[in-house]
Amino acid sequence: MEGNKIQTVERIKMNRKIVAIVGRPNIGKSTLFNRMTKTKDAIVADHYGVTRDRNYGAVEWTGKSFTLIDTGGFVPETKEFFESMIRSQIEIAIDEADIIIFLVDSKTGISAIDNDIVKILNKTDKRIILAVNKIDEPKDEADVHEFYNLGIGEPIGISAMTGRNLGNFLDLITEDMTLDSESEEVTDTRLKIAVIGKPNVGKSSLVNKILDKEKMIVSNIPGTTRDSIDSVLKYQGEEIVLIDTAGLRKRKKVRESLEFYSLIRTLRAIERADVVILMIDVTDGLTKQDIDILIEAKRLHKGLILAVNKWDLLKNKETNTARDYEKYLRESLEWITYIEIKFISVLEKQRLFKILDLAKEIKARRSLRIPTAELNDYLQNIIRTHTPPSVNGKFINIKYMSQVASDPPVFSFFVNEPQLLKENYKRFLEKKIREKYNYSGVPIVFKFLKK
């Protein structure tokens, strides 16, 4: 690594803003989250502490989009930590989110905890939206006026349960956001790699070894990496941006706080990256947290590498050990077949730069453009041997296809009855495209259009 140019760079501005819902428990945060994301991902119950999973999702409204986080998922079960936990979550939201929704309950009125939350919010210049929940009917609007007394701006009455006034609420949230089609930043063609994974799997150590410089604090205690730092590495004549996502501040000792803080940093890093390296510990295997990260990276169409660290710790390795372990991983990840898998040891410096080489290859594959004529010759060969099955006597004809975008690759298929094309045939088409063209590690997007 001697002679490589290494420097710290400023953050690249994210296009998608992060909006966090904060407030005391049992006021409808999870219900609002579900309503806004059009999902039922958050668990909803009548007592606090029930939502303990990571709850985040994409919200799209009138051509604008943002990431929404339900902080209710980080409230601990034990009441002793209740007040400190709320304070911790709100402080983190203030640090990391772009917009904060302060949700209050019209039925119970202003509580002492609400006033305490206001004291925290008054210390920031972040944008705060005060939402008064459970305004289910026009007659309930009078209940909104009480919340002017909080002194943090004009409250808006909504109903998370029924969706009442949700359109005006979303207009308010997105009023300063740019349209998705207009939000591109100045193009940065450098390869950007996000190193992702749960605490103590070796993320910072990997970055340090690659940079050959101790830029981050490395410890066996999760949460000791103080900041997420971008570094530029000059490798084989090209600049590569490494995004270290450990980013857990030492000041918060409570597990749920670290989890929440880590989540926000991880979401930001995944959005910014071209290629995501998910590190796992060979002795732990895949965890639910790892799966959550992969789901998000897949949703955002990122290049993917699964780096299995601490391979040196496996005793009695045999010729087929790596093959068998990879088989276990691929069976667990059958829904994301394109992921690349590499076995590494950060401690022993084994195959670390193969990871960089592979990330560069994935970046090149993401940019691959295939001529339309070539694609259609191949498509006709596929259709001749495997005709799409008819549905209710209707013959399905795929007339032609073209690649309409790259980075990631997007292919449009023009079909007489696209709505009748079965999912298993769509998966078959993807498999055949991947057999012909090397898109390993790369997501590809198919669109089926009426023609």
Side-chain angles (χ1 to χ4, degrees), residues 26-55:
N26 199 27
I27 56 171
K29 292 193 299 295
S30 294
T31 303
L32 180 60
F33 172 89
N34 290 344
R35 175 71 62 178
M36 293 173 70
T37 59
K38 300 179 181 179
T39 68
K40 294 182 180 179
D41 292 339
I43 302 167
V44 181
D46 291 332
H47 57 281
Y48 84 89
V50 68
T51 311
R52 286 182 290 274
D53 285 337
R54 294 180 171 214
N55 291 319

Side-chain angles (χ1 to χ4, degrees), residues 102 110 115 118 122 130 146-155:
F102 177 25
I110 297 173
N115 283 316
V118 168
N122 280 335
L130 176 60
E146 174 189 357
F147 294 90
Y148 279 95
N149 294 323
L150 289 173
I152 57 170
E154 182 176 356

Side-chain angles (χ1 to χ4, degrees), residues 226-444:
R226 295 178 182 273
D227 284 301
S228 179
I229 300 173
D230 289 356
S231 298
V232 174
L233 164 70
K234 196 157 189 179
Y235 180 66
Q236 296 179 346
E238 296 180 17
E239 286 190 350
I240 296 174
V241 180
L242 294 176
I243 307 168
D244 174 48
T245 58
L248 304 180
R249 291 185 181 172
K250 201 172 183 178
R251 62 179 180 151
K252 298 301 176 189
K253 303 292 185 181
V254 184
R255 177 182 62 83
E256 287 85 354
S257 294
L258 295 173
E259 218 174 86
F260 178 48
Y261 191 74
S262 176
L263 164 65
I264 297 178
R265 287 293 175 93
T266 297
L267 290 176
R268 287 187 181 277
I270 290 173
E271 277 216 25
R272 293 178 48 209
D274 301 303
V275 177
V276 171
I277 298 176
L278 172 64
M279 290 185 68
I280 67 170
D281 187 320
V282 68
T283 58
D284 294 339
L286 283 167
T287 66
K288 181 184 180 298
Q289 185 173 336
D290 298 323
I291 299 296
D292 288 343
I293 291 170
L294 288 175
I295 289 171
E296 186 67 8
K298 183 176 187 290
R299 183 182 71 82
L300 293 173
H301 308 303
K302 301 300 180 178
L304 274 172
I305 300 172
L306 181 61
V308 185
N309 191 24
K310 306 182 184 179
W311 191 243
D312 55 297
L313 297 183
L314 275 193
K315 306 300 181 185
N316 304 317
K317 288 195 288 287
E318 299 177 357
T319 304
N320 295 327
T321 301
R323 184 199 65 185
D324 293 343
Y325 199 98
E326 181 170 346
K327 182 181 178 184
Y328 142 72
L329 291 172
R330 292 206 177 276
E331 286 174 349
S332 303
L333 299 170
E334 59 183 0
W335 50 276
I336 191 166
T337 56
Y338 62 86
I339 192 169
E340 288 271 18
I341 298 175
K342 288 294 178 185
F343 298 96
I344 67 172
S345 169
V346 174
L347 184 64
E348 300 294 331
K349 298 185 180 180
Q350 294 175 355
R351 292 175 287 278
L352 303 189
F353 291 96
K354 289 186 181 296
I355 294 286
L356 284 185
D357 294 335
L358 182 56
K360 288 181 63 177
E361 290 171 15
I362 290 173
K363 170 70 170 173
R365 294 169 194 165
R366 283 172 60 91
S367 302
L368 180 65
R369 295 296 300 236
I370 305 169
T372 300
E374 181 181 332
L375 277 174
N376 282 284
D377 286 345
Y378 184 52
L379 175 66
Q380 292 310 313
N381 287 332
I382 294 171
I383 293 173
R384 272 195 296 270
T385 55
H386 296 85
T387 304
S390 60
V391 178
N392 297 327
K394 288 188 176 181
F395 176 70
I396 299 173
N397 181 20
I398 303 178
K399 298 182 178 181
Y400 67 97
M401 68 177 292
S402 65
Q403 184 177 356
V404 296
S406 60
D407 203 19
V410 180
F411 298 92
S412 289
F413 293 79
F414 297 88
V415 190
N416 65 331
E417 300 287 351
Q419 75 281 3
L420 298 182
L421 202 59
K422 294 184 178 295
E423 288 301 318
N424 59 355
Y425 194 81
K426 294 177 183 179
R427 290 193 295 270
F428 165 74
L429 288 174
E430 179 176 351
K431 179 181 177 183
K432 299 304 289 184
I433 292 294
R434 289 187 180 278
E435 284 178 2
K436 175 74 171 176
Y437 302 101
N438 185 3
Y439 282 120
S440 183
V442 177
I444 56 178

